Amino acid sequence: MVGVGVMGADHAARLAHRVAGAALVAVSDPDMGRAAAVASAFAGVRVVASPLALIADSGVDAVLLASPGSAHEEQVLACLSFGKPVLCEKPLTLSAASSLRLVAAERALGRRLVQVGFMRRFDPSYTRLQSSLSSIGRLLVLHNVHRNVSAPASFRSEMIVRDSLVHEVDVARWLFADEIASVSVLAGLSSRSAPSGVRDPLVAVFRMAGGGIVTTEVFINSQTGYEVRCEAVGERGSLFVDAPRPLPADFLSRFASAYDLEVQAWVSSCVEGRAAGPGVWDGYAATTASEAGVRSLQNGGEPVAVETPS
Amino acid sequence: MVGVGVMGADHAARLAHRVAGAALVAVSDPDMGRAAAVASAFAGVRVVASPLALIADSGVDAVLLASPGSAHEEQVLACLSFGKPVLCEKPLTLSAASSLRLVAAERALGRRLVQVGFMRRFDPSYTRLQSSLSSIGRLLVLHNVHRNVSAPASFRSEMIVRDSLVHEVDVARWLFADEIASVSVLAGLSSRSAPSGVRDPLVAVFRMAGGGIVTTEVFINSQTGYEVRCEAVGERGSLFVDAPRPLPADFLSRFASAYDLEVQAWVSSCVEGRAAGPGVWDGYAATTASEAGVRSLQNGGEPVAVETPS
Amino acid sequence: MVGVGVMGADHAARLAHRVAGAALVAVSDPDMGRAAAVASAFAGVRVVASPLALIADSGVDAVLLASPGSAHEEQVLACLSFGKPVLCEKPLTLSAASSLRLVAAERALGRRLVQVGFMRRFDPSYTRLQSSLSSIGRLLVLHNVHRNVSAPASFRSEMIVRDSLVHEVDVARWLFADEIASVSVLAGLSSRSAPSGVRDPLVAVFRMAGGGIVTTEVFINSQTGYEVRCEAVGERGSLFVDAPRPLPADFLSRFASAYDLEVQAWVSSCVEGRAAGPGVWDGYAATTASEAGVRSLQNGGEPVAVETPS
Amino acid sequence: MVGVGVMGADHAARLAHRVAGAALVAVSDPDMGRAAAVASAFAGVRVVASPLALIADSGVDAVLLASPGSAHEEQVLACLSFGKPVLCEKPLTLSAASSLRLVAAERALGRRLVQVGFMRRFDPSYTRLQSSLSSIGRLLVLHNVHRNVSAPASFRSEMIVRDSLVHEVDVARWLFADEIASVSVLAGLSSRSAPSGVRDPLVAVFRMAGGGIVTTEVFINSQTGYEVRCEAVGERGSLFVDAPRPLPADFLSRFASAYDLEVQAWVSSCVEGRAAGPGVWDGYAATTASEAGVRSLQNGGEPVAVETPS
């Protein structure tokens, strides 16, 4: 494991206690104290000072990256160079150019090694919706709501797009089985509970290449609970992912099963030598859409085309 | 009563049987057979050949207009010239210029005589939401869904904006207590249940003058039921108008109570010589927003500013 | 109108302002000041000192009784003796023997003059469920929840059965189109918000003559809101009456439309000289079931058979 | 693993693929072909002809029993005699006397070795409700709905109590942290979709020792979907476990996460040498309540006291 912040610590416990076929053997984190604390919580876990040393370590068969997005490109490239499977938390990287380099590197290798951490694709309520789509005819419109109780002051408007909205970017691509053609991100009235200067809530509109339309409200200082909902509207009806009530406190609680299933699927795929789940192309496509979203937000909400290379 | 189509016939029964303080005395309709049929269903109701003759009739104290929108300007002006209160079904008229003439005419008269038929302002579920708004802090975002089972082939895309979406236009103005600054109407994939050439569903985005954002899906050939929902998102929570289950078949069933309360409020206001409910200005403002919506739809969904005169 | 307490005052405004075909001409109440206050709120309403004088009054065509249940027998009999239609608030009377005398008196008269105030039969959500029953096959089980925010200390356990649960008694008879064969009323833990000695909540189980089963929770000091819900379970699915959210404060707000439609139906039936809605037999059957419920409550919840005369 | 029917095969995949700390090494089933098929689906799994030989096998550290309830007593006793932890599917056994022998045997051993498969205690929606109970004050009433699409003809009325209702028995004991004092099981109208002679749906009422009341509808041929719901009513509000929509097809789908978490908790507890989850006492208490339920059903729904030994 590289990175043992909130998400990484949660994954460490998962790897150690709730996943078949894996053993947590080493962790690395810039905060050595934090790394030591996590390591000591489990039996037989070493602390490795440098992420690249951990990736190169011969005792490490596969790598889970829960480091910041800014560190992902270098670390994923290292995994690829050692031929080690990697589960990389979202976002894949912070720029389309960077993500595209990872697509190219994996393609050069000739086999899939990268899974990107879009856990909603493993959430039972989302997979139930996805597998029921045929019952409502062709999918036409998708509505999403994505609310957090509150966010730290360091969580700026652009991060709402890159770190929060990116989940709906992936959900839209997955449910429509289509690419996003353009993105608008509108900022209107901001809640007085949001830190000064942060535009929150945001309303995003995606237009899919094939014509589908996606609306999303992202509201990270909603004061109420962690509330993620989705309605898929087809030609013959609509399907819902509802939020559990009472609302869970945060994403770790709401998506605990999804993370378990995601990491299990990854570990199983490593053991069996095949790839599973969303890959480096999905991560890249999400990054290009996020980039378009950030530009739209900066331009007052104008639709920005998403450049999709062939 | 002028106009005894589906809506008018429903109102006739309401006036005759379910409203205090009113007597239905005369009806007019271009289809004289239809007018005679409605008149004969109730005691003491005359058929008057021309709408203007009905409005001028000394036995008529107040007029309910359920005629097509294209006839409204002339008929409302006639009511104003005779100083008679009028309840005019939505839309007020089909163009902003025309609606503005009605605003000017009523203003010249110096007193309110026109109520516009935005019945949702009287619906118990909407009024409950509206009166609870203070519990969620400042209103930030509004999400609407507006679905019909199916529509006749004559119901073209522009009419979805003018006749269906206009309800959400009024709801947005009412709940935000604010004017709409711009409107986008996006057409994406159309359902194969929609008549050829009709863009359905549509997704509209309104930006309010004060910054609020409104999203609306209108889908008039949804194949499922009459499904109108609303979520008002504030700084401290959100409130819902949910659709009853099983879904009602149509608006007359879903909004039966709203129509009763609307017409009762109008009749009571006539008796007491005061105005009630949404007025000619609300009708005009809705027409300007609808016009902007039609232009946006024609321009591929670009936001169109709503011109609001002082 | 006889009786102008909370319910009566609400009905007075309804008769005066929201119902076609009626004029409120006289009110009577033991509290003369309250009667005078209600009368003065409307034009042309006289205060009559005695209920029986009001019923006998030649200017009174029909009578709405919103007096206490203990006064109903004498007042309904007076209405019958004058051949005047009467809408009697529930419960019809406080004993089966007394209610049976009213059944006999109306039968002796040879025509229906009594409507009993079970307003849920007019509520749009209940009528929608009732008219959809055929879609779920034969009705097998009914679940009800009936909660009030709080009740005055004078509202004893027996009154929870006679005044609150009696609504579910009527709903069960109406939806099953069947009589109730036996009633159990269980008292378990009582909320510490209930007045001392009051058993609240109660759980009732009805067995219908034809085999259907009905469960009802009545909780009149629930502290949350006025929450009435119903689920009808059939051979091929179930249907719901859900509570609106946010929860309404009380029954006058929740059932405003139902009361409007109920009183309108009564007035229209008076004008047209026919009977409508639940009648004296329904009132009697509800009283017998309530009596059985009170006995069950006193006997620790044992099922008590409901005696149904032929 | 002993028993590889539907439930056992599901658990086998779980042990092999989704649980940390366990290896599936041997299976046993009276149907040797079925056992061989399951064994061959995973690497390194032996088929052992007799359950008792499997339990005694020195390569087996812990045993998961998914055999029929009638086989549980002998098999659990064998596990206890070898000092091996056992996860026994519900019901623990088919008679209170038999379950009590297991309680005594484990007690004689001096340490907990038995976990009983009440997986709802691990379901995220149930655990969220349970951990939120303090927010609604003292728990007063519990309402449950438990529906299956259909059941095989071999599933008789008594089995609805022993195999289906037993889940609500355990949920009631868990949420109230109290024993059940008496049970009524009412059979009313049976669905014509139920096999001949099977009383379905059933309505059960439990009275808890401390006064709480529990209502449960069990309907195993509901034709609609697998629908499990729960409402916990407290002094200051109520909490829900809702059914996901669209309804899942069966319990394996609805409770997949619960089973994963249950088996993981069991495996972790085996590794760490401590006990977890519902134990042999819970299994025994559930059996006594089920027995009372079966007797009540046979006696026309009369309440039957649950004998709780000290």
Side-chain angles (χ1 to χ4, degrees), chain B residues 17-20 128 244 257 264, chain C residues 17-20 128 244 257 264:
Chain B
H17 295 322
R18 290 202 299 280
V19 163
R128 193 179 301 119
S257 296
Q264 182 66 69
Chain C
H17 295 321
R18 292 202 298 280
V19 164
R128 192 179 302 120
S257 296
Q264 181 66 70

Side-chain angles (χ1 to χ4, degrees), chain C residues 90-115:
Chain C
K90 39 66 47 181
L92 178 58
T93 69
L94 299 186
S95 80
S98 161
S99 286
L100 191 55
R101 286 193 288 272
L102 297 184
V103 171
E106 196 194 52
R107 191 156 299 179
L109 208 61
R111 61 191 171 112
R112 276 194 57 191
L113 283 177
V114 184
Q115 180 177 333

Side-chain angles (χ1 to χ4, degrees), chain C residues 189-196 200 219 221 223, chain D residues 137-140 235-236:
Chain C
L189 283 172
S190 291
S191 169
R192 285 165 295 193
S193 296
S196 173
D200 183 40
F219 189 4
N221 292 283
Q223 307 298 305
Chain D
R138 193 168 50 161
L139 181 61
L140 305 175
E235 289 183 315
R236 293 193 307 271

Side-chain angles (χ1 to χ4, degrees), chain B residues 261-277:
Chain B
L261 293 166
E262 172 196 57
V263 175
Q264 182 66 69
W266 175 62
V267 168
S268 297
S269 78
C270 293
V271 169
E272 299 167 19
R274 54 175 179 75

Side-chain angles (χ1 to χ4, degrees), chain C residues 170-195:
Chain C
D170 186 63
V171 163
R173 294 182 63 253
W174 175 51
L175 295 181
F176 274 103
D178 193 10
E179 295 297 344
I180 296 174
S182 74
V183 177
S184 308
V185 177
L186 312 179
L189 283 172
S190 291
S191 169
R192 285 165 295 193
S193 296

Side-chain angles (χ1 to χ4, degrees), chain A residues 1-157:
Chain A
M1 289 235 10
V2 174
V4 289
V6 171
M7 185 78 252
D10 196 63
H11 277 322
R14 181 166 288 117
L15 277 175
H17 294 320
R18 292 202 297 280
V19 162
L24 178 61
V25 296
V27 297
S28 180
D29 195 282
D31 180 337
M32 292 288 284
R34 191 160 73 170
V38 167
S40 69
F42 309 104
V45 178
R46 286 175 288 135
V47 173
V48 179
S50 130
L52 297 184
L54 181 147
I55 293 167
D57 193 299
S58 65
V60 168
D61 296 324
V63 181
L64 197 164
L65 293 181
S67 50
S70 56
H72 286 175
E73 182 180 355
E74 182 185 40
Q75 294 169 358
V76 170
L77 285 174
C79 292
L80 291 175
S81 72
F82 286 99
K84 295 187 180 175
V86 55
L87 171 55
C88 178
E89 265 303 325
K90 39 68 41 181
L92 178 59
T93 70
L94 300 185
S95 80
S98 161
S99 287
L100 192 55
R101 285 192 289 272
L102 297 183
V103 170
E106 195 195 54
R107 189 155 300 179
L109 209 62
R111 59 190 174 113
R112 277 194 56 190
L113 283 177
V114 183
Q115 179 177 333
V116 179
F118 291 122
M119 80 292 187
R120 291 195 195 171
R121 296 199 189 200
F122 297 90
D123 179 69
S125 58
Y126 272 93
T127 55
R128 191 179 304 121
L129 182 147
Q130 200 266 349
S131 63
S132 302
L133 281 176
S134 63
S135 70
I136 58 167
R138 192 168 52 160
L139 181 61
L140 305 174
V141 173
L142 197 67
H143 300 295
N144 302 288
V145 164
H146 183 161
R147 297 180 191 143
N148 298 66
V149 178
S150 62
S154 61
F155 213 88
R156 311 306 298 171
S157 308

Side-chain angles (χ1 to χ4, degrees), chain C residues 32-99:
Chain C
M32 293 288 284
R34 192 161 73 170
V38 167
S40 69
F42 309 105
V45 177
R46 284 177 289 136
V47 173
V48 178
S50 128
L52 297 184
L54 182 147
I55 293 167
D57 193 298
S58 65
V60 168
D61 295 325
V63 181
L64 197 164
L65 294 182
S67 48
S70 56
H72 286 175
E73 182 180 357
E74 180 184 42
Q75 294 170 358
V76 170
L77 285 174
C79 292
L80 292 175
S81 71
F82 286 99
K84 294 186 181 177
V86 54
L87 172 55
C88 179
E89 265 303 326
K90 39 66 47 181
L92 178 58
T93 69
L94 299 186
S95 80
S98 161
S99 286

